[in-house]
């Protein structure tokens, strides 16, 4: 039997196939597979990578237990639509979120609080009794505090305040932002009209690059507070280690308080490792169950 893990996000998708006996692995990469951005593209990407890896290993889909972790899989409508459209005859498979596969990879399937900091933000907890709980991850419009899009939006808001003020654009950070977004209403409004979460997140390197600027320091302090709140809300009073993952993890960690840093440990794995753990659990669950293309109904939350 073979295990397949897929990790799909807004910019790229990675997949890994592994033989359970020999441990031999095959890997492939493809384009985006974020359900909320483009469901049809996500289906096509996962299908193409799955078939590609099976072809490389010279096996059939019926020999594969798959765990597919995709951004946007927490949406029930998108979850159902993907399951209906994938149409791959795996021995068994489950669709879940990329946050959940990251959770299982973060501490090699052992109890942990995982905090993912990228364009968005989300925390998940795996407790000693096996229960899982997600905190945050509500999306850019209303949440994702501590994520890149949220921080970029705070920075642009400061640019707008300075554009409205008598002093004008006066700080080093807002001057850098103005060069990207516009320095008056005629240029800023068109930028705002087309800007999405990734556009706001793309401004975050400017905030970190201007840490000598008092305004940037203020924003980064808010950023650190938001991350600490996310960690504390998810962890509660439980004695669990915390792992930071995502593109902003390394740059954000030095901003956190000594108390929060004492809770942190390095990641023991990534989302693909977590997907492999979940696929192996599925194999144990479905051992002896006949019939191809059995969807386990894995969590989309």
């Amino acid at each position: 039997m073979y295990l397949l893990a897929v990790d799909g996000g807004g910019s790229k998708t990675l997949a890994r196939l592994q033989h359970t006996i020999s441990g031999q692995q095959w890997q492939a990469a493809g384009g985006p597979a974020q359900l909320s951005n483009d469901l049809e593209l996500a289906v096509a990407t996962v299908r193409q990578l799955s078939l590609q890896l099976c072809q490389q290993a010279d096996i059939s889909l019926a020999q594969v237990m798959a765990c597919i972790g995709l951004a946007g899989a927490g949406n029930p409508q998108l979850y159902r639509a993907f399951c209906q459209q994938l149409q791959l005859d795996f021995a068994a498979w489950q669709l879940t979120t990329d946050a959940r596969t990251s959770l299982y990879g973060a501490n090699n399937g052992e109890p942990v609080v995982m905090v993912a900091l990228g364009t968005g933000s989300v925390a998940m907890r795996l407790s000693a009794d096996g229960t899982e709980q997600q905190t945050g991850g509500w999306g850019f419009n209303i949440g994702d505090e501590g994520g890149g899009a949220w921080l970029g939006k705070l920075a642009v808001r400061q640019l707008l305040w300075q554009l409205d003020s008598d002093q004008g654009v006066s700080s080093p950070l807002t001057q850098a932002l103005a060069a990207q977004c516009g320095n008056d209403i005629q240029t800023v409004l068109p930028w705002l009209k087309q800007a999405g979460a990734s556009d706001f997140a793309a401004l975050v390197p400017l905030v970190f690059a201007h840490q000598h600027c008092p305004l940037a320091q203020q924003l980064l302090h808010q950023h650190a507070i938001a991350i600490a709140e996310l960690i504390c809300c998810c962890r509660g009073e439980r004695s669990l280690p915390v792992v930071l993952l995502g593109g902003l993890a390394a740059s954000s960690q030095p901003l956190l308080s000594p108390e929060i840093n004492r809770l942190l440990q390095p990641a023991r794995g990534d989302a693909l490792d977590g997907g492999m753990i979940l696929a192996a659990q599925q194999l144990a669950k479905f051992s002896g169950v006949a019939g191809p293309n059995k969807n386990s109904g894995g969590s989309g939350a």
Side-chain angles (χ1 to χ4, degrees), residues 50 144 198:
S50 300
D144 281 1
S198 60

Side-chain angles (χ1 to χ4, degrees), residues 25 61 79 95 103 118 148 154 177 198 260:
Q25 292 184 352
L61 290 168
Y79 177 92
L95 172 64
L103 172 68
L154 289 186
L177 292 169
S198 60
I260 293 295

Side-chain angles (χ1 to χ4, degrees), residues 171-191:
S171 75
L173 173 60
T174 50
Q175 288 170 359
L177 292 169
Q180 295 283 336
C181 308
N183 57 10
D184 55 34
I185 190 170
Q186 286 77 22
T187 52
V188 170
L189 281 179
W191 188 92

Side-chain angles (χ1 to χ4, degrees), residues 117 121 143-148 150-159 161 173 204 207-208 211 213-231 248 252 255-257 260:
L117 301 171
S121 69
D144 281 1
E145 295 87 349
W150 174 86
L151 180 55
K153 191 175 183 179
L154 289 186
V156 173
R157 179 65 264 187
Q158 292 301 317
L159 170 62
W161 278 119
L173 173 60
V204 168
V207 182
F208 279 93
Q211 293 192 44
C213 172
L215 180 57
Q217 294 170 10
Q218 174 189 327
L219 294 176
L220 291 173
H221 180 64
Q222 292 177 256
H223 174 62
I225 290 174
I227 296 170
E229 289 178 343
L230 188 59
I231 291 171
L248 283 182
S252 299
L255 305 174
L256 302 176
S257 69
I260 293 295

Side-chain angles (χ1 to χ4, degrees), residues 111-177:
V112 70
V113 169
M114 180 282 303
V115 178
L117 301 171
T119 298
S121 69
V122 66
M124 285 196 75
R125 181 180 72 239
L126 178 61
S127 298
D129 62 2
T131 59
E132 303 166 15
Q133 178 64 43
Q134 179 172 315
T135 302
W138 289 106
F140 171 60
N141 288 336
I142 193 65
D144 281 1
E145 295 87 349
W150 174 86
L151 180 55
K153 191 175 183 179
L154 289 186
V156 173
R157 179 65 264 187
Q158 292 301 317
L159 170 62
L160 300 182
W161 278 119
Q162 290 195 5
L163 286 174
D164 287 340
S165 72
D166 292 336
Q167 290 77 26
V169 179
S170 56
S171 75
L173 173 60
T174 50
Q175 288 170 359
L177 292 169

